[in-house]
């Protein structure tokens, strides 16, 4: 065993130990709005349910360790004391991860990640339509835990309305734990899929990914590519050049034939194979080839 006094190590290292040891952690996918009504969407794994009567969920947007700044979510709920906490399942995990990119204030992460904004009934922030369960909440209290980088801020969120996708219910009307297919956060790049086990999601770029909204419409509306595939495609800083695309396609007769015949179905299936192997730039070169 090694024994550590928290004050004796850098906060970043302490943060890593805490996240590596305490998990899987449920994910609060939180939508808020600012004073101008602009939506924000961001995930938080310092989160859980703490009361049923009244129904209280608490999530904690921590101050950034590197520069002690606060996140847009915290700034929003301090001014507009409402939020929607959306549950994350496996089908949306890559798109969810993309929203943790630190886009500038006012950028709509719903659009960047390719999620659908659905109007709430009792609060102003929109819901994530793709989420299997959505909790409309009134923020009743914000409890700062410190003033330095890494300090959490407990956001007490009272549930005022719940929306549940009927597809995740069993014959008794309760939530089927296999159908909801939740994911949870672990240390580093690791997540846990409740009914399958661990998997890895590379962290979003420190620079800004192009976002799902920058993907050409016929690719975005593909019948083959999933939301997770689109999330990976959106997490690139820039698209390959025409020269790179030409060299890639020209070196493979099978791919050249697909492009020549404009066989979109086959092109998208092949691109998905590349995405599944995390060869995302190769997938982009193939998907953009018939644009040349």
């Amino acid at each position: 065993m090694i024994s550590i006094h928290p004050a004796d190590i850098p906060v970043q290292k302490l943060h890593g130990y805490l996240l590596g040891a305490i998990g899987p952690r449920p994910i609060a996918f939180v939508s808020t709005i600012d004073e101008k009504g602009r939506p924000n969407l961001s995930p938080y794994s310092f989160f859980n349910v703490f009361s049923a009567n009244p129904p209280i969920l608490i999530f904690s947007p921590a101050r950034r360790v590197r520069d002690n700044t606060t996140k847009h979510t915290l700034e929003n709920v301090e001014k507009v004391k409402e939020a929607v906490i959306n549950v994350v399942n496996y089908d949306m995990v890559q798109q969810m991860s993309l929203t943790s990119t630190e886009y500038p204030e006012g950028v709509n992460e719903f659009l960047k990640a390719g999620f659908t904004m659905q109007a709430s009934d009792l609060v102003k922030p929109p819901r994530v339509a793709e989420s299997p369960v959505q909790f409309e909440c009134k923020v009743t209290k914000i409890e700062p835990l410190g003033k330095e980088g890494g300090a959490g801020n407990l956001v007490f969120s009272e549930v005022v309305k719940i929306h549940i996708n009927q597809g995740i219910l069993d014959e008794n009307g309760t939530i089927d734990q296999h159908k909801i297919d939740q994911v949870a956060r672990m240390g580093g790049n690791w997540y846990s899929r409740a009914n399958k086990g661990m998997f890895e999601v590379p962290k979003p770029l420190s620079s800004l990914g192009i976002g799902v909204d920058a993907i050409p419409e016929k690719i975005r509306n593909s019948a083959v590519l999933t939301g997770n595939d689109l999330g990976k495609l959106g997490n690139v800083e820039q698209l390959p050049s025409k020269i790179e695309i030409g060299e890639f396609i020209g070196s493979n007769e099978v791919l050249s034939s697909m492009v020549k015949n404009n066989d979109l179905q086959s092109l998208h299936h092949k691109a998905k194979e590349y995405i599944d192997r995390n060869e995302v730039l190769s997938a982009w070169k193939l998907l953009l080839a018939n644009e040349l």
Side-chain angles (χ1 to χ4, degrees):
M1 299 290 291
I2 61 170
S3 299
I4 300 167
H5 288 289
D8 292 342
I9 60 174
V11 174
Q12 191 67 45
K13 191 168 186 178
L14 174 61
H15 187 256
Y17 282 139
L18 292 171
L19 270 58
I22 301 171
R25 300 183 306 282
I27 300 168
F29 199 23
V30 182
S31 46
T32 59
I33 61 168
D34 65 13
E35 288 179 306
K36 298 179 180 179
R38 297 177 298 185
N40 180 269
L41 185 61
S42 190
Y44 296 93
S45 68
F46 289 3
F47 163 64
N48 221 308
V49 55
F50 289 88
S51 173
N53 186 24
I56 301 292
L57 312 179
I58 299 177
F59 68 96
S60 177
R63 303 180 73 92
R64 295 183 181 92
V65 173
R66 67 176 182 273
D67 58 8
N68 196 25
T69 56
T70 56
K71 297 183 179 179
H72 295 144
T73 299
L74 178 61
E75 294 162 7
N76 286 353
V77 296
E78 286 175 337
K79 296 169 183 175
V80 181
K81 297 186 181 302
E82 298 178 342
V84 179
I85 297 177
N86 305 277
V87 170
V88 178
N89 65 6
Y90 183 76
D91 287 344
M92 57 191 287
V93 66
Q94 294 286 348
Q95 291 169 274
M96 178 277 300
S97 178
L98 186 57
T99 67
S100 63
T101 300
E102 294 189 2
Y103 291 107
E105 184 178 7
V107 170
N108 188 340
E109 288 87 357
F110 279 89
L111 297 179
K112 279 294 171 190
F115 285 120
T116 305
M117 288 191 296
Q118 186 166 355
S120 296
D121 293 340
L122 300 179
V123 299
K124 297 182 185 71
R127 298 178 275 143
V128 177
E130 291 78 4
S131 169
V133 183
Q134 307 137 17
F135 298 97
E136 296 187 28
C137 300
K138 298 282 189 178
V139 173
T140 59
K141 180 171 67 169
I142 301 172
E143 186 70 33
L145 301 179
K147 296 181 179 179
E148 302 299 323
N153 295 273
L154 304 184
V155 180
F156 289 71
S157 309
E158 182 171 353
V159 178
V160 294
K161 195 159 190 178
I162 306 171
H163 305 270
I164 303 173
N165 186 319
Q166 292 185 8
I168 66 169
L169 300 178
D170 62 19
E171 63 276 7
N172 298 314
T174 58
I175 295 176
D176 185 308
Q177 294 302 290
H178 287 86
K179 290 179 180 178
I180 192 172
D181 199 9
Q182 292 182 87
V183 296
R185 198 71 173 86
M186 301 185 74
N189 291 345
W190 291 96
Y191 287 71
S192 176
R193 187 176 181 182
N195 61 4
K196 291 286 178 69
M198 289 172 59
F199 64 99
E200 195 170 11
V201 177
K203 291 182 179 179
L205 298 169
S206 55
S207 54
L208 301 183
I210 63 169
V212 172
D213 60 333
I215 298 174
E217 187 175 0
K218 68 181 179 182
I219 298 173
R220 200 166 62 242
N221 296 334
S222 171
V224 175
L225 302 176
T226 67
N228 279 335
D229 296 329
L230 297 179
K232 289 183 178 182
L233 290 172
N235 190 36
V236 297
E237 187 174 4
Q238 62 184 22
L239 299 178
S241 68
K242 291 183 178 181
I243 293 175
E244 291 172 322
I245 295 170
E247 290 176 347
F248 179 75
I249 300 300
S251 66
N252 188 307
E253 291 184 9
V254 174
L255 299 184
S256 296
S257 176
M258 287 183 189
V259 173
K260 184 177 180 180
N261 295 326
N262 197 28
D263 185 355
L264 290 181
Q265 192 82 350
S266 297
L267 283 169
H268 287 197
H269 277 291
K270 188 64 178 177
K272 183 170 176 56
E273 290 180 19
Y274 285 121
I275 294 170
D276 289 343
R277 297 199 299 265
N278 288 320
E279 299 176 25
V280 178
L281 284 179
S282 294
W284 263 120
K285 291 173 185 176
L286 182 56
L287 291 168
L288 293 176
N290 60 350
E291 301 279 337
L292 299 180

